[in-house]
Amino acid sequence: KAAGLHCPRDNYLVRFGHHYCLEFEKRAQNFSLEGQQTLGKIRSCLIGALREAELAGKNNQGVGLTCENSKAIGMASHVPCYVENGFCEMRFGDKLRIYNTVVREMGDSDFRQVRREIQRQCNQRNPVTAHEPYQFGDFEEALESGVN
């Protein structure tokens, strides 16, 4: 998408979207079979949200997808794409692999806000997992406090 829009390399579509799409494909064999299937559904959903925005613009039903709004559209689609496609039910080990893949983004406040909302919605869907030993927030709090 970024190439067709002629977005710069530091744009969200290139730096985040395309980068992590490739990164998760590269690491797919490290996930359980169920984890791979869930990641496939999430990826399809995220790509679909960008395509919908692109089509809306072509059909004069909105601004469409631009280099400037790609981050807002991408971030807005992450919560429903993750929650509605099985992230909340993923195994601990698969969630940890996701965390290890995206850990460098924990410094981005938009990313942390999306991560928190995904966790909040997962906790609402399944209150039992709200007390799992692993939550992105546990790692995030350690990073923010400087604990390794």
Side-chain angles (χ1 to χ4, degrees), residues 11-12 17 20 27 36 42-43 78 100 104 112 120 127 139 142:
N11 180 267
Y12 171 85
Y20 283 110
R27 298 177 183 213
Q36 291 175 32
I42 292 168
R43 181 184 308 110
H78 268 71
N100 287 335
R104 78 177 196 177
R112 285 195 316 269
R120 188 187 71 74
F139 292 110

Side-chain angles (χ1 to χ4, degrees), residues 6-85:
H6 307 291
C7 297
R9 293 179 60 88
D10 64 345
N11 180 267
Y12 171 85
L13 288 174
V14 178
R15 189 193 68 75
F16 189 91
H18 183 71
H19 169 77
Y20 283 110
C21 194
L22 293 177
E23 199 61 36
F24 278 107
E25 283 180 11
K26 235 182 0 184
R27 298 177 183 213
Q29 74 280 358
N30 298 327
F31 288 83
S32 69
L33 181 58
E34 295 86 1
Q36 291 175 32
Q37 291 169 343
T38 298
L39 287 174
K41 291 177 195 174
I42 292 168
R43 181 184 308 110
S44 293
C45 180
L46 293 170
I47 292 169
L50 294 172
R51 283 194 179 129
E52 282 181 31
E54 182 181 36
L55 288 173
K58 288 180 180 178
N59 296 328
N60 295 319
Q61 297 174 341
V63 175
L65 180 64
T66 66
C67 297
E68 293 75 23
N69 71 8
S70 63
K71 183 175 182 180
I73 292 169
M75 288 292 177
S77 63
H78 268 71
V79 174
C81 285
Y82 269 71
V83 173
E84 295 168 14
N85 286 289

Side-chain angles (χ1 to χ4, degrees), residues 79-131:
V79 174
C81 285
Y82 269 71
V83 173
E84 295 168 14
N85 286 289
F87 172 80
C88 302
E89 295 76 28
M90 287 181 90
R91 295 178 183 176
F92 168 83
D94 285 333
K95 287 182 178 179
L96 184 58
R97 287 176 192 89
I98 291 174
Y99 174 81
N100 287 335
T101 303
V102 299
V103 67
R104 78 177 196 177
E105 301 301 328
M106 290 297 178
D108 181 280
S109 62
D110 292 331
F111 181 86
R112 285 195 316 269
Q113 183 178 350
V114 167
R115 196 271 326 139
R116 285 182 184 125
E117 183 58 22
I118 290 169
Q119 191 62 56
R120 188 187 71 74
Q121 289 191 26
C122 285
N123 292 347
Q124 284 182 335
R125 290 170 72 103
N126 188 357
V128 173
T129 61
H131 303 291

